[in-house]
Every structure is written in structure tokens, then in C-alpha cells.
Amino acid sequence: MLQTEKHYVQWQDNETSRNSRWLSESNQPPPARIVIVDDQTTADQAYRFACEGTSMLWRGDFHNARQLLQAMTRRIERTEQRKASKAAKSGKASTDATAIPNLFHLQRQAQGQRSRILSRVLLELDAGYSSRLRRAPDFSAACTAAFGELDEHCLISFRDLQGALGAAQWREKGVPISSLDLSIFPHYGVFAPTRHEYVQLMLDAPLPDTHDLAFDIGTGTGLLAIILAQRGVQQVVAIDLNPRALACAADNIQRLELTNVQLQQADLFPTEQPLANLIVCNPPWLPAKPSSPLEYAVYDANSAMLRGFLQGVSKHLAAQGEVWLILSDLAEHLQLRSREELLSWFSEAGLMVKYRLDTQPKHGRSQDATDPLFAARSAEITSLWCLTLRQQTE
Ligand SMILES: C[S@@+](CC[C@H](N)C(=O)[O-])C[C@H]1O[C@@H](n2cnc3c(N)ncnc32)[C@H](O)[C@@H]1O
């Protein structure tokens, strides 16, 4: 998931040939064509360059680069609106049964295109992430926290840099989780629980009678493991594939001085552990291909993690144990997965539903009537499915 290989980009700095490290969090290939731009470059020129696939190395004032990006975003939005109204007039935006998944895929394509265009404004940074641009703030701490140490000159997109700066703010301020009376501190590249209505479900579900050992599969910031530990589960093993998530969970667990949460890097299930009485999982909830490592927490191609979790969970669960699966039904409203399919996966895995708790998300996007996917988003329900082994009662 994370970029482990180093990539380099060859470029012309006026008459001089240069070779620099290429940093791209979204795994964009090194740019094939780079021109040097500065405060004299207009937003129209920059937008044209970006649309034709030319990257721009910014040599102007640091804050003007931010404004340039905002001006380019407005041009992208205008183009998207023009395309949408043209499609509506030509009757392409039909409302037949396939329109909703199509809308979702078109929106994902548009997001991808927007990200590629905006990622074409580049900055050069020296070792330690220092910048020579006028009015550039010191972002070495934010970048080191996000991308690791840098001991050579690099080119990076201004957008990736903004991502690191934004993450550093979240990490410092934390995300308050009011129902727990604590804050969680997300790290760069880790799912931030800003939509945390499911926390209440985790608090409302009665713990199984025996709760000496629980697993949290895909722990992210460690939030669900922390809830279980605070609710009295004696030992919690929290798993994630993403090393950034494990470092983040370790940070949050340490801040709360919890000594009964153990972390393990694994694909789904821990190794060398006895059977657990409770296994919780809040998997990425949309069956679609992640377009960058940062999207792995939200998008799950072909529901691979969800299905892998369901298929494997019975081997790790004690006979009287419970599985708590946190899952939004947005994928159902987007017609990307049906309820029947989900229920059949439970059944094929030898699981049955003991009960289900529901909550309705209240986040901004579910209230935004201008969003083309408003109908689906406003109908979304997040559930805690309590599942048990079928043979237990048969
Ligand atoms: C939606 S986030 C949930 C994070 C956290 N449990 C919460 O509720 O806030 C899904 C998490 O699953 C992790 N993940 C995805 N695939 C995984 C796999 N195969 N094995 C372990 N963790 C995985 C992601 O890295 C991410 O942290």
C-alpha cells in the first residue's frame, strides 16, 4: 500500500538537466513533461498546461501557488458543470435503474481527473523538506511525519504537501469523540473517524458474557480497540495492514495509557492467538477500486476485505463468541452491493444474525441536496451487525 520503491524524475531546469527524487502519495508516475512557472503565470495558462498533461514546477511565492490551485479548481468545476448540463440536455443523464451506479462511477472518474489535474503543480524541496520559495512556511515536521525522512532533493505535488499540512493539524488538534469524552489523534494516511456515529453503536451493544479477549480487525486510529478496552474487555488485539495505522493506534493507546491493547500487522487476522470471544471490524464500506493508498480505508475492490473477513472469522471465534460488523448500507443505495448478497455472505460463512443496531449518519455530505448522489447518501444507515456461529444453536 505504501510507496516503498524510490522513483526519480528527469527534468530540464532552463538549460540544465536535473534528476530528482519523485514523491507521490497517490502513486502518480513521474511527470513526463515539466515547465517552470511563477507568479506571472495565469490560472488559464496553468489550467491549459495541466489539462494537456504538462506538469508545472512552481518558482513563485508560496501562497500564490495555493491561490493558483484554487483558481484551477474553479475552472475544473465550471467544466464539470458544463459537461453535466450538456449531458442532461442530450438526455444522457437518464434515470433508469443503472443511473445510480453510473453516477457513482462518473463521480469517481471526475474526482480522479480533478486530482490528476491539480497534482500537476509541483514544488521542489531540499533534503529535510526545506523550500526556497518566498514566504514558504517550515513544513519539515509535517512532511517528515507524513512521508518519512528525506535526505535528497525532491519534486512533490503541491497537493500532496497540502495533504501533509492538513494531516499535521488533525494530528495536533485531534478529533473529539463526544460520546467517549476523549479525542482521537489521526496520523497522515490513516482513516480519521470524523464520521463517528458508529461509536454509539459500539457503546450500546451488550458485551458478550465472556469478554476476556477481543480482536479489532482494521484498527485504523485504534478507536474501536480503545472502546473495547475502556468497556472492560481484558485483552484486545488490534490488527491493521497499514503500518501508518499501527503507528497511529500505538500513539492513541499510549496517550490514554491503556496497557491491555496489543497491536499486530497482519492481513485480516492475528497469528498465534487463542480464539476470541468478540471480533469487531469496520471495513472500508464502498466496493470500488482505491485510486491511491490513501483510499484503502474507504474503498474495497469487489468487497475483498469484507468477504475475506466474513469467510475467515469463524476460525478465530470462540464457540459462544460474537462478531460485531460495522457496515454502512451506502453501497446498497448506490446499487454496488445488494442486501441479499450481504446476507448470503453471512450464511456462506456459517454466521447468523443475532441482532442489529442502526444509526443514521448526520455528516455534511448526507445533507447536501446539490450532491448528485444525495438520494443515496441521505438514505444511508450504518449498522452494527452482531453475528454468531450458526452451529452454536443448530
Ligand atoms: C474504515 S477503516 C476503519 C478504521 C477503524 N477501525 C475505525 O473504525 O475508525 C478500515 C481499516 O481497515 C484496514 N484494512 C483494510 N484492509 C485490511 C486487511 N486486509 N487487513 C487488515 N486491515 C485492513 C485499513 O487500513 C483501515 O485502517
Side-chain angles (χ1 to χ4, degrees), residues 319-320 346-347 349-353 388-394:
Q320 305 299 317
F346 293 166
S347 167
L351 299 166
M352 60 176 214
V353 180
T388 52
L389 295 173
R390 212 175 30 227
Q391 71 262 31
Q392 197 181 305
T393 50
E394 279 173 355

Side-chain angles (χ1 to χ4, degrees), residues 283-342:
W285 61 95
L286 286 173
K289 196 165 170 252
S291 64
S292 79
L294 301 182
E295 289 192 346
Y296 273 84
V298 177
Y299 296 103
D300 179 21
N302 301 317
S303 300
M305 181 192 175
L306 171 60
R307 286 188 297 144
F309 171 75
L310 291 171
Q311 279 158 16
V313 74
S314 63
K315 289 195 205 82
H316 301 268
L317 190 67
Q320 305 299 317
E322 291 182 4
V323 173
W324 292 358
L325 174 68
I326 308 281
L327 199 62
S328 140
D329 67 356
L330 182 61
E332 295 176 22
H333 297 292
L334 294 172
Q335 298 168 21
L336 301 171
R337 182 181 65 227
S338 69
R339 176 58 57 103
E340 292 69 35
E341 233 173 330
L342 180 68

Side-chain angles (χ1 to χ4, degrees), residues 1 189-193 198 216-225 239-242 245 266-269 281-285 296-298 300 305 326:
M1 287 161 68
V190 180
F191 177 76
Y198 58 86
D216 172 17
I217 308 299
T219 195
T221 56
L223 175 58
L224 303 188
I239 316 295
D240 211 291
L241 254 186
N242 178 356
D267 186 356
L268 293 172
F269 298 102
C281 181
N282 176 15
W285 61 95
Y296 273 84
V298 177
D300 179 21
M305 181 192 175
I326 308 281

